[in-house]
Amino acid sequence: MIGQLILSLLVFAIILMLEWRPLRKSTRSTRLISFSLYALSSAIWVWLQVSMHVPRPAVYLEMLLQPFDILK
Amino acid sequence: MEQISRRQMFLIGAGYTFDATLISLPAQIIGVAKQDAWMTYPLASLLILAMLWLLSKVSQRFPDQDLFEALTHRYRLIGRLIVCSMILFTFLILQRDLRMFIDFSNIVLLQQTPLSVIGLLMIGVIIPIVASGIEVLGRVAEIFFVMLALVILSLPLVLLKELDLESLLPIFDGGPGHVAKGAWLAFPYLGEMLILPFVFKSKTFNFRTAAYAQLFGSFLLVILIVYNIIVLGVHVSARFMYPNHELTRQIRLTDFLDRFDMILVSIWASAMFTKVAFSVFVICRGIRRCLPTVSEKLLASPVTVFALVCSFWFFENSLQVVNLNHTWPALALLFQVLFPVLLFFFLRPKKKTPAHESP
């Protein structure tokens, strides 16, 4: 878990380092959305690496749309 | 404001129809429609052309705006809700394409490389394309899609000795129902280009150019599926995960170039980057239309990184991506048929109140 956390923080830090200058000059809403998406991505990535059973949205989407599967 | 020419829009549109559709879908279509699979694309195209016509009429009502802009200006709340749902749908397409692209590269090219590394390398290409703007994206499409189209059009020549035209017979052996089922699988992929009027103003987007793009993309797909049937055969090609890759492996140009498929895959991969980059561009443009203070170029990186992570979260393996194709048309029906029809009837500019004449 700690290894994955460090890895994701490292990627997050590299991206921020590359993007920091334009982000600093941008608007507050751009910064907010960017940081939120980066943080969310890191959190999901760590969760995917650590958790044994991850619920997959594709499975639920398929179950939801199953009645409309005309090929069955 | 960056603008692209109609020719570039044609190439982006045709590429958006063609690039991802050729990965695994042809095998499923051939599995359903057998030797009549080549008829499915024209049939699905007819529906998409009708929807394109509806959207082009809506686009003409707002000559200085794209449809995202028109929706958010005309209906403040419902318009934004529709834009958000279109963004979400495009995001689903984006992360599905990204995952198919990563899986394909892993299975065919880089078997020992972890998926996450392949994904990171890919977004390292996609982000700069999107961050450079739509003009650069148009120029990238001008180079790589044209190369890809030329290669596909030359396939009949290089595969001449492998043909078995009898594989296409008998026509309508399974009845027209099978063709209709194949078209049901094909239409959401062909309909992805319906997003064009949402990001391009009617100065760039017009029905004729978009229709040509749709027809050209479908024509290239028909060439590929016909060659799948007559070179590999119905039963074999329906069982492949990547039938078009197997098809290109049959190409042997004399004795000195027997891995011609590697060259083809590299050209296709470059065109595929354009498709994925365009999806990211659409999402960033949509967010900007909802929140005008946001910079769409700076959103390219976080949106692409988020899509990459979600592509690993949504799908456990490549089979799940392929299986989703069976139910995907039901979801696409909402965004690619219902939305255009609703917009055609309800999205109109405000009536101008007549100015009172002074006595």
Side-chain angles (χ1 to χ4, degrees), chain A residues 19 27 29-30 38 55-56 58, chain B residues 293 295 301 312-314 320 326:
Chain A
E19 296 268 305
T27 57
S29 51
T30 309
Y38 284 135
R56 304 281 173 182
Chain B
T293 53
S295 157
S301 311
F312 289 121
W313 174 32
F314 272 52
Q320 239 174 33
H326 286 274

Side-chain angles (χ1 to χ4, degrees), chain B residues 200-214:
Chain B
F200 296 130
K201 294 172 185 169
S202 59
K203 201 162 56 179
T204 309
F205 173 86
N206 69 344
F207 174 68
R208 190 193 285 187
T209 317
Y212 283 152
Q214 167 68 219

Side-chain angles (χ1 to χ4, degrees), chain B residues 98-340:
Chain B
L98 207 49
R99 185 56 193 264
M100 282 200 296
F101 196 12
I102 292 168
D103 283 331
F104 177 83
S105 307
N106 181 246
I107 293 167
V108 172
L109 302 170
L110 307 162
Q111 286 96 346
Q112 306 297 323
T113 314
L115 293 178
S116 53
V117 175
I118 299 174
L120 280 172
L121 291 172
M122 282 179 179
I123 64 167
V125 179
I126 295 160
I127 292 170
I129 297 177
V130 186
S132 306
I134 187 67
E135 283 181 4
V136 172
L137 217 151
R139 285 180 209 144
V140 173
E142 265 181 329
I143 299 168
F144 291 112
F145 183 71
V146 170
M147 281 169 75
L148 183 64
L150 286 175
V151 167
I152 302 297
L153 291 172
S154 67
L155 272 185
L157 294 174
V158 290
L159 282 170
L160 212 56
K161 62 178 182 180
E162 313 278 349
L163 306 184
D164 175 20
L165 287 169
E166 285 191 4
S167 302
L168 286 170
L169 301 172
I171 291 172
F172 281 131
D173 191 33
H178 285 88
V179 179
K181 283 180 180 174
W184 169 253
L185 283 176
F187 106 83
Y189 278 83
L190 301 188
E192 284 168 14
M193 71 167 298
L194 289 171
I195 201 71
L196 292 178
F198 286 87
V199 289
F200 296 130
K201 294 172 185 169
S202 59
K203 201 162 56 179
T204 309
F205 173 86
N206 69 344
F207 174 68
R208 190 193 285 187
T209 317
Y212 283 152
Q214 167 68 219
L215 291 172
F216 187 62
S218 305
F219 173 64
L220 294 179
L221 288 166
V222 169
I223 289 182
L224 282 180
I225 211 160
V226 165
Y227 270 78
N228 273 310
I229 296 167
I230 59 182
V231 174
L232 301 173
V234 170
H235 300 292
V236 177
S237 51
R239 279 165 177 76
F240 280 127
M241 182 84 172
Y242 305 119
N244 287 314
H245 179 247
E246 292 303 324
L247 175 72
T248 54
R249 283 180 60 171
Q250 304 300 313
I251 301 171
R252 283 186 182 82
L253 295 180
T254 65
D255 290 336
F256 66 91
L257 191 56
D258 65 341
R259 287 305 305 273
F260 193 62
D261 60 306
M262 301 307 284
I263 299 170
L264 293 186
V265 167
S266 61
I267 296 172
W268 167 78
S270 311
M272 188 67 189
F273 279 125
T274 322
K275 196 212 164 175
V276 176
F278 186 69
S279 296
V280 178
F281 168 77
V282 169
I283 293 166
C284 296
R285 177 61 61 93
I287 295 173
R288 186 183 160 78
R289 292 298 182 227
C290 290
L291 302 164
T293 53
V294 162
S295 157
E296 64 184 46
K297 286 186 178 177
L298 282 176
L299 281 185
S301 311
V303 167
T304 316
V305 170
F306 187 58
L308 176 70
V309 173
C310 282
S311 73
F312 289 121
W313 174 32
F314 272 52
F315 304 104
E316 193 170 8
N317 49 45
S318 49
L319 279 179
Q320 239 174 33
V321 188
V322 174
N323 285 342
L324 192 65
N325 284 339
H326 286 274
T327 48
W328 184 255
L331 185 69
L333 210 59
L334 183 71
F335 293 96
Q336 293 172 355
V337 177
L338 187 67
F339 271 25

Side-chain angles (χ1 to χ4, degrees), chain B residues 8-76:
Chain B
Q8 286 171 329
M9 195 219 67
F10 165 82
L11 294 169
I12 290 175
Y16 210 65
T17 303
F18 177 70
D19 296 339
T21 313
L22 62 88
I23 303 177
S24 319
L25 191 70
Q28 287 174 298
I29 293 177
I30 294 170
V32 172
K34 309 292 178 201
Q35 63 269 30
D36 299 326
W38 60 273
M39 296 179 204
T40 59
Y41 291 124
L43 193 62
S45 263
L46 286 178
L47 177 68
I48 303 306
L49 286 176
M51 296 303 126
L52 265 177
W53 184 80
L54 292 182
L55 286 177
S56 72
K57 288 289 161 201
V58 181
S59 184
Q60 281 168 9
R61 293 173 197 158
F62 302 89
D64 300 323
Q65 294 173 319
D66 54 55
L67 288 186
F68 276 156
E69 205 174 357
L71 274 164
T72 49
H73 283 190
R74 184 66 183 86
Y75 303 106
R76 190 168 279 272

